[in-house]
Amino acid sequence: MTQTHQQSNLPQNIGLSLSGGGYRAAGFHLGLLSYLNRVNLLQQVRMISTVSGGTFTGAKYTLSLVAGQTFPEFYQEYYALLKNTKLVELALNKLNRKEINIPSSRTDLITASAQVYAEKFFKDADGKPYRFGHILNANIPLQEVIFNATEFRSGLAFRFQRSANPKARIGNGNISIDRSDAEDIRVADIVAASSCFPGGFEPLAFPGDFNWSDSQALNNIKKTVAKTLPKVDLKQPIADENPLASDEELATIDSNIPIISGQKDTDIALMDGGIYDNQGIESLWLAEKRSEVKLDLFIISDVDQRPGSLYSFPAPFKVSPLTLKAIDWISKILIGFCAFTLVTIGYEFIKDYINGQFIWLDFFLYIIPILLAATTASILVWSRNIIKKRILPLIPQVGILAWKDLKNLTVNQVVNGIYLRLSSLQAMAGSVFMQRIRSLGFRFIYQQYDETTRQKLISNLIYELRTGSQLTQLPGVEPPSSAILEIIDAAASMPTTLWFTEDNELDNLLIAGQVTTCYNLMVYITRTHGAQPNSYPQDIRKLWNNLVIDWQNFSSNPKVLS
């Protein structure tokens, strides 16, 4: 494995796309990296594209190269951070203390989380946060590094990237950040933008929510963003008519989106890169397309959960059989009781006060009941006004007149109707759309190569070895043992979170990444060199033998490399 490129049959130029998926992704991808390192292929990785949870691992690994760490040093440090860092607790603490130094002065969960990332994950030996310039200017084997976010103004990918090609943009086809300004971007903020998933976090404003050490870089980027307001031209086609277009091609179309007259944006909203491409496939393909280096191996490491039922119709709630009309009358009666309470207690309070009979204990006898009654009445009146003046008028065609029909609905009907809408909306955004985006990404990449070059693609899927899966028959290799299946099943079913709820979850993910990578490398070899190991070239046969031995060891003890 120390042979030159001309002499070796092993992959010399490897590209990795690391999918999103929270800590499930971070742990699984760490397992991938550790196994590539074990078989001496990690040093051949030339390109890396990451999304969301994959950006945690990808950014940390890239910075370990910048710092000159050995892989074991990186692995031990990152493992401890994933295992022991309580991100939610620390972010809430930052949120409470408002210890966030950013131009927007915004204090919310995503900006607090970015500060935690900077202080815990992405700092140098002196405790200072890494800046993107450390990656852009480093002498490391990774020629192409892409951390993916999604830009919400145009709906395009927003790429923080290091590239050997000077034409590669930091940003997208609409917004291109000058490299010298991008050097001051904090890596922790890039990771926050890439992993800022909707519902869990607020959008991250760029550049206002980012931390800056150079005010000139901030001002330059503000001017860049402000100058890129799109103009309207309804004669232009819609960008989505060409699903295979690059960001640069899309920008020539999407620059015609309407703008509001007089609008002056100095910030754009960035969110999770998985909204555009949860595997980072397109970014890695574009990186290879523009590079003089062509990949021998293109590994798509994906922790999307096994396809299945995306939405189970929930059982109905049983809250109350009361109708809305009854609730309306109850609220009127309560308002009447509150008003009567205010009058009677108020009268007694005034009488005692005038007669000089008021003592401090009367505070609880008079003042507290008066405040409670007034507050209750105010809330009820306010709620009724909101429904009457703000909500009902929004109903199409009938407006407030809809009340004559709606008042006979029961609370059960209303609650279940709202719940079904919210749950189906969540399933649509979190499962249905994500599965569609994923299938489009895989379809896209497999269409870019012919039958010969397509052999370099490896889909390294977390659920691939799960119980019941149909696996490739490999010469002399037994199916996964029950010990392997147990761990794979547990890892693949872990939810998308930024925390671990059980002590063994991280270890399960690491083992799943290692075992799945071992299996897929064996599949890759049989696909490219046939099913007769004795006929393999010497270096391929050596790699094959090592993979088979590791597989056998995994079968008897999946934790053998832990």
Side-chain angles (χ1 to χ4, degrees):
M1 297 183 189
T2 59
Q3 296 166 300
T4 64
H5 179 69
Q6 291 76 16
Q7 297 171 329
S8 178
N9 296 284
L10 297 170
Q12 297 299 302
N13 299 306
I14 300 175
L16 305 178
S17 69
L18 307 182
S19 78
Y23 265 19
R24 187 175 71 252
F28 183 79
H29 300 326
L30 181 57
L32 162 75
L33 296 180
S34 71
Y35 195 75
L36 291 179
N37 179 71
R38 174 175 175 78
V39 294
N40 295 328
L41 290 178
L42 186 60
Q43 59 193 359
Q44 309 304 334
V45 173
R46 301 287 178 261
M47 303 180 187
I48 187 169
S49 172
T50 71
V51 179
S52 194
T55 302
F56 271 89
T57 298
K60 188 64 178 175
Y61 171 64
T62 303
L63 290 173
S64 76
L65 298 177
V66 171
Q69 287 183 306
T70 64
F71 186 83
E73 290 172 338
F74 153 72
Y75 182 92
Q76 292 170 9
E77 178 186 346
Y78 187 46
Y79 177 93
L81 285 169
L82 288 175
K83 187 81 169 179
N84 302 320
T85 305
K86 298 180 178 180
L87 286 181
V88 176
E89 179 181 332
L90 292 172
L92 291 176
N93 185 264
K94 292 287 181 188
L95 189 62
N96 177 49
R97 296 186 179 185
K98 300 181 180 180
E99 297 175 349
I100 304 168
N101 181 23
I102 52 178
S104 68
S105 300
R106 200 161 66 101
T107 305
D108 49 31
L109 189 57
I110 188 59
T111 55
S113 297
Q115 186 62 30
V116 174
Y117 302 161
E119 294 177 3
K120 295 295 182 180
F121 281 84
F122 308 106
K123 62 180 181 179
D124 62 20
D126 296 325
K128 296 180 180 179
Y130 276 110
R131 301 278 169 178
F132 198 35
H134 290 103
I135 294 176
L136 292 173
N137 301 319
N139 181 20
I140 57 177
L142 294 175
Q143 298 181 13
E144 303 282 338
V145 178
I146 311 107
F147 304 132
N148 294 278
T150 302
E151 184 251 297
F152 264 41
R153 194 171 72 186
S154 64
L156 296 178
F158 195 90
R159 299 181 174 104
F160 298 92
Q161 56 189 352
R162 159 199 166 106
S163 177
N165 189 326
K167 294 183 179 180
R169 298 187 180 200
I170 298 173
N172 58 28
N174 286 325
I175 302 166
S176 182
I177 306 301
D178 187 85
R179 178 188 171 110
S180 60
D181 297 325
E183 290 178 357
D184 195 48
I185 299 174
R186 196 171 59 171
V187 173
D189 294 323
I190 294 174
V191 175
S194 180
S195 58
C196 180
F197 56 89
F201 291 106
E202 310 83 0
L204 194 65
F206 178 76
D209 285 347
F210 282 48
N211 176 277
W212 302 89
S213 64
D214 184 352
S215 59
Q216 186 59 50
L218 169 62
N219 291 332
N220 291 342
I221 292 176
K222 280 185 176 181
K223 292 177 183 177
T224 298
V225 172
K227 287 190 297 185
T228 57
L229 284 174
K231 300 178 178 60
V232 63
D233 183 352
L234 299 180
K235 296 179 181 180
Q236 287 284 348
I238 298 173
D240 289 344
E241 290 177 358
N242 183 5
L244 302 185
S246 67
D247 275 353
E248 288 73 14
E249 294 167 322
L250 288 173
T252 64
I253 301 172
D254 287 347
S255 61
N256 300 293
I257 299 172
I259 67 169
I260 300 173
S261 178
Q263 179 183 6
K264 293 188 178 298
D265 285 353
T266 57
D267 289 291
I268 54 172
L270 298 182
M271 293 205 79
D272 196 299
I275 299 166
Y276 183 86
D277 174 7
N278 197 43
Q279 284 67 42
I281 293 173
E282 183 184 89
S283 295
L284 188 58
W285 173 74
L286 288 171
E288 182 192 20
K289 185 179 178 182
R290 65 172 175 252
S291 176
E292 296 179 359
V293 175
K294 299 307 173 186
L295 297 176
D296 305 315
L297 191 57
F298 188 127
I299 301 177
I300 304 166
S301 187
D302 182 14
V303 302
D304 190 36
Q305 292 172 318
R306 190 175 192 172
S309 177
L310 302 181
Y311 181 70
S312 299
F313 213 93
F317 286 101
K318 295 182 179 179
V319 181
S320 172
L322 289 174
T323 64
L324 296 184
K325 182 179 180 180
I327 298 294
D328 179 47
W329 275 105
I330 290 173
S331 69
K332 290 178 180 178
I333 293 171
L334 285 175
I335 291 172
F337 279 143
C338 289
F340 181 76
T341 300
L342 287 172
V343 171
T344 54
I345 296 180
Y347 172 77
E348 292 297 325
F349 168 70
I350 294 172
K351 185 174 68 172
D352 286 355
Y353 184 78
I354 292 175
N355 294 331
Q357 297 177 349
F358 184 81
I359 59 176
W360 70 271
L361 286 175
D362 289 339
F363 178 85
F364 297 97
L365 181 62
Y366 296 124
I367 304 301
I368 296 300
I370 288 173
L371 290 175
L372 289 175
T375 302
T376 302
S378 298
I379 291 174
L380 289 172
V381 171
W382 176 81
S383 299
R384 291 172 58 85
N385 284 336
I386 289 291
I387 294 171
K388 182 178 179 180
K389 297 180 180 180
R390 298 289 182 87
I391 297 178
L392 290 177
L394 296 176
I395 299 176
Q397 298 183 346
V398 291
I400 195 171
L401 295 178
W403 174 247
K404 65 183 178 61
D405 297 311
L406 295 177
K407 65 184 180 181
N408 293 318
L409 294 178
T410 66
V411 174
N412 286 333
Q413 287 177 287
V414 174
V415 170
N416 281 289
I418 293 173
Y419 179 74
L420 287 172
R421 283 164 174 78
L422 294 177
S423 62
S424 59
L425 181 64
Q426 182 184 31
M428 178 190 71
S431 300
V432 179
F433 279 3
M434 291 302 292
Q435 180 165 295
R436 180 59 176 163
I437 292 170
R438 180 176 183 267
S439 65
L440 287 174
F442 276 98
R443 183 182 303 173
F444 163 77
I445 195 61
Y446 277 91
Q447 288 176 342
Q448 304 312 306
Y449 302 101
D450 57 31
E451 289 188 9
T452 301
T453 54
R454 196 177 295 158
Q455 293 180 347
K456 70 182 180 182
L457 297 173
I458 288 181
S459 297
N460 201 57
L461 311 178
I462 192 171
Y463 60 79
E464 193 167 2
L465 303 180
R466 202 171 182 177
T467 301
S469 298
Q470 297 296 318
L471 303 179
T472 302
Q473 294 287 335
L474 298 171
V477 177
E478 295 293 326
S481 66
S482 58
I484 288 177
L485 293 176
E486 182 180 355
I487 288 178
I488 295 290
D489 290 347
S493 61
M494 178 186 166
T496 303
T497 61
L498 289 177
W499 60 84
F500 296 119
T501 56
E502 298 179 11
D503 290 338
N504 63 345
E505 284 183 329
L506 176 55
D507 292 330
N508 287 343
L509 291 167
L510 290 169
I511 294 168
Q514 294 166 347
V515 173
T516 307
T517 304
C518 176
Y519 166 79
N520 277 310
L521 287 175
M522 290 190 290
V523 172
Y524 164 76
I525 290 175
T526 58
R527 191 170 63 215
T528 55
H529 295 279
Q532 299 295 328
N534 290 333
S535 67
Y536 294 162
Q538 181 179 356
D539 49 2
I540 296 295
R541 187 165 65 249
K542 181 179 179 181
L543 174 59
W544 171 266
N545 291 336
N546 289 336
L547 294 172
V548 171
I549 291 172
D550 282 344
W551 181 262
Q552 293 170 346
N553 290 333
F554 283 135
S555 295
S556 58
N557 179 18
K559 300 179 181 180
V560 65
L561 300 184
S562 299

